[in-house]
Amino acid sequence: MNQVVRVADTSLQDSDRLANLAEDVIRRALAAGASQAEVSASIDTGLSVNVRLGEVETVEHTRDRGFGLTVYFGQRKGSASTADLQPDSLQATIEQACAIARYTEADAFAGLADASRMATEFPDLDLYHPWDLDVEQAIALGIEVEQGGRAVDGITNSDGASVSAGQSISVYANSHGFVGRERGTRHGLSVALIAGDDEGMQRDYWYESVRDARRFGDAGAIGLKAAERTVARLGARRLTTRQAPVLFAPEVARSLIGHLIGAVSGGSLYRKASFLVDHAGKQILPEWFAIDERPHLKAGLASSAFDAEGTATADSALVAGGVLQRYILGSYSARKLGLQSTGNAGGVHNLIVRTGEDDFTGMLRRLGTGLLVTEAMGQGVSVITGDYSRGVSGFWVENGEIRFPVEEITIAANLRDLYANIVAVGNDVDHRSHVLTGSILVERMTIAGE
């Protein structure tokens, strides 16, 4: 395969085009009778290559466009979208959105975010680093990642390696006169490997995700990490049912923070579908625990100067001294709750869990004898009640040393108790997510096994 792709960077021109189309469509929607209007538009491009056992499986180029319009006739709302940016299609989108709004029920809480909250400063957050990667280079890189793992003793097969390079241009505009533009890139390398012995087979993986491909380092090291994780799982055992301390590895620990985000998000709160309803200002975690939102973090995976409604973002504490400082709200949920938007329409922007001084080895010592969780499966978490029950695998640890791998076990607790019984957060932070946390040690949980 000798295909070479070199595409000029047209992101600024594409951004200008989207912004001009958005402003024009908003003007036309207002002329059609809408009292307010907003547009979200994007162009996503990318290259993805998959290889397995040194051979190419798939090569995919993508260029996806989206254009969504929401109009308000008073407090009646209508939305329509298209992937076609031609004039006829945009006109049809306007007509469809307006027709829907005219026949919907009025919602007292509907409407744009407050005009006074629109972002006015747009700092360079270092989010845009296009990767000049052609197909041949991507294939070679995928083979390098996979070979880094296949060279390890005990690896018997591969589920394949993937290389992806992607960039996105987006515009949000509304009838307050706000126009916000963003450019971002996201690149990834990953591999999944299989190990086998007389007792059976195990599968594991590893990946890296970055804004700037220069941060990948040695591609073969990703394969090596995946291989080490896979081989370490050979000979996994089940445990008898017991109670014990549980240490969540960083890549699993962030899911605990994700459950907290779900429980304090506006939609769950105004529906009374959260175990943390009316908990703002209350202690929910140990006194030393803190989570900060940092929307303007340079090169952050969820950095942005504004949220999905144009509201300005700002650094803010979510948890301080173990006390829930605020909820996570866009303008609609804020109005339903009689509160103000927290600039989180569309989600959170880089949550940083404050860490302690222990690295991963130190956290194992603090665990002492208990369970290290490296993978969690299933959906057994209820944000409504706080009940937590998930299938997990990982390692049994004794006296701070990993003794043997474990699988086919379940851990259970209520999230209220789980959060209250966190005893430490490690400084072994996993940077591959917008939730930045190290490993999290919980004093005691129920472990169900044989």
Side-chain angles (χ1 to χ4, degrees):
M1 186 180 298
N2 296 312
Q3 183 178 5
V4 176
V5 176
R6 289 286 186 269
V7 180
D9 183 6
T10 62
S11 60
L12 290 177
Q13 295 93 319
D14 288 340
S15 180
D16 287 342
R17 182 185 177 211
L18 288 181
N20 290 336
L21 286 174
E23 290 180 293
D24 181 57
V25 166
I26 288 170
R27 283 193 296 268
R28 289 155 62 189
L30 296 178
S35 53
Q36 292 184 325
E38 60 185 338
V39 165
S40 295
S42 63
I43 298 175
D44 298 311
T45 58
L47 167 67
S48 177
V49 170
N50 294 299
V51 301
R52 180 175 178 272
L53 301 176
E55 299 293 330
V56 179
E57 287 203 318
T58 62
V59 175
E60 182 179 9
H61 292 281
T62 58
R63 183 175 174 86
D64 298 322
R65 295 176 295 187
F67 193 97
L69 168 67
T70 296
V71 297
Y72 300 91
F73 282 63
Q75 290 175 311
R76 291 175 292 143
K77 174 183 174 182
S79 298
S81 62
T82 181
D84 184 354
L85 303 185
Q86 295 302 310
D88 289 348
S89 180
L90 294 176
Q91 180 59 35
T93 302
I94 296 169
E95 293 171 357
Q96 290 164 1
C98 291
I100 292 169
R102 289 189 177 99
Y103 292 101
T104 57
E105 292 290 330
D107 184 339
F109 305 102
L112 301 180
D114 295 345
S116 63
R117 300 288 304 279
M118 296 295 101
T120 57
E121 297 182 5
F122 306 93
D124 181 3
L125 300 178
D126 194 30
L127 308 180
Y128 189 70
H129 296 277
W131 191 6
D132 189 15
L133 183 72
D134 64 43
V135 173
E136 293 292 345
Q137 291 169 332
I139 293 169
L141 195 55
I143 291 172
E144 182 182 352
V145 171
E146 187 182 50
Q147 286 180 340
R150 291 180 65 199
V152 173
D153 288 343
I155 296 299
T156 57
N157 208 335
S158 170
D159 266 353
S162 298
V163 179
S164 62
Q167 59 191 65
S168 175
I169 300 97
S170 62
V171 168
Y172 171 79
N174 63 36
S175 53
H176 291 325
F178 176 84
V179 180
R181 311 168 187 230
E182 291 185 308
R183 297 188 300 164
T185 50
R186 183 73 67 89
H187 313 305
L189 301 177
S190 66
V191 63
L193 299 168
I194 298 169
D197 61 14
D198 293 340
E199 298 182 15
M201 299 197 320
Q202 294 287 344
R203 177 188 182 278
D204 212 324
Y205 69 97
W206 196 247
Y207 73 94
E208 294 290 345
S209 179
V210 297
R211 293 275 190 190
D212 186 344
R214 291 172 296 184
R215 297 186 59 187
F216 275 134
D218 179 18
I222 296 171
L224 177 61
K225 176 86 169 178
E228 290 172 345
R229 287 169 59 90
T230 307
V231 172
R233 296 176 66 146
L234 289 172
R237 315 177 198 174
R238 297 184 68 186
L239 293 173
T240 57
T241 297
R242 65 190 75 184
Q243 287 198 330
V246 176
L247 178 64
F248 293 83
E251 60 271 21
V252 186
R254 63 174 177 251
S255 69
L256 300 180
I257 308 303
H259 303 320
L260 176 63
I261 294 169
V264 301
S265 292
S268 297
L269 296 169
Y270 73 70
R271 294 184 182 95
K272 304 294 184 182
S274 168
F275 71 101
L276 292 179
V277 168
D278 297 327
H279 273 63
K282 295 181 180 179
Q283 188 96 26
I284 60 171
L285 287 145
E287 291 184 357
W288 51 266
F289 201 98
I291 305 175
D292 296 304
E293 186 173 22
R294 297 277 303 281
H296 302 161
L297 188 67
K298 291 281 189 176
L301 293 182
S303 295
S304 181
F306 54 92
D307 73 359
E309 299 176 318
T311 300
T313 57
D315 289 355
S316 176
L318 182 62
V319 175
V323 174
L324 179 63
Q325 300 295 303
R326 60 176 176 86
Y327 299 130
I328 294 172
L329 308 174
S331 62
Y332 183 83
S333 59
R335 290 171 190 147
K336 293 275 282 189
L337 294 166
L339 300 171
Q340 293 291 315
S341 170
T342 58
N344 290 120
V348 294
H349 304 94
N350 304 320
L351 290 187
I352 299 178
V353 179
R354 251 177 250 179
T355 67
E357 297 181 355
D358 289 315
D359 60 11
F360 181 67
T361 301
M363 292 295 285
L364 286 176
R365 287 195 295 266
R366 293 196 65 156
L367 171 66
T369 296
L371 176 65
L372 166 64
V373 174
T374 58
E375 184 179 15
M377 296 79 75
Q379 305 296 322
V381 183
S382 171
V383 171
I384 299 174
T385 64
D387 290 338
Y388 179 97
S389 177
R390 299 191 72 186
V392 300
S393 58
F395 299 87
W396 185 249
V397 178
E398 295 179 355
N399 300 317
E401 299 286 341
I402 291 175
R403 294 304 181 193
F404 54 84
V406 296
E407 63 181 2
E408 296 182 17
I409 54 178
T410 300
I411 57 174
N414 188 276
L415 287 172
R416 291 179 188 273
D417 300 327
L418 188 156
Y419 292 143
N421 292 322
I422 291 175
V423 295
V425 178
N427 63 18
D428 50 340
V429 176
D430 184 355
H431 291 276
R432 300 172 301 168
S433 167
H434 66 287
V435 177
L436 299 170
T437 181
S439 51
I440 292 179
L441 176 59
V442 179
E443 185 175 33
R444 189 164 296 275
M445 295 183 71
T446 298
I447 301 169
E450 295 178 326

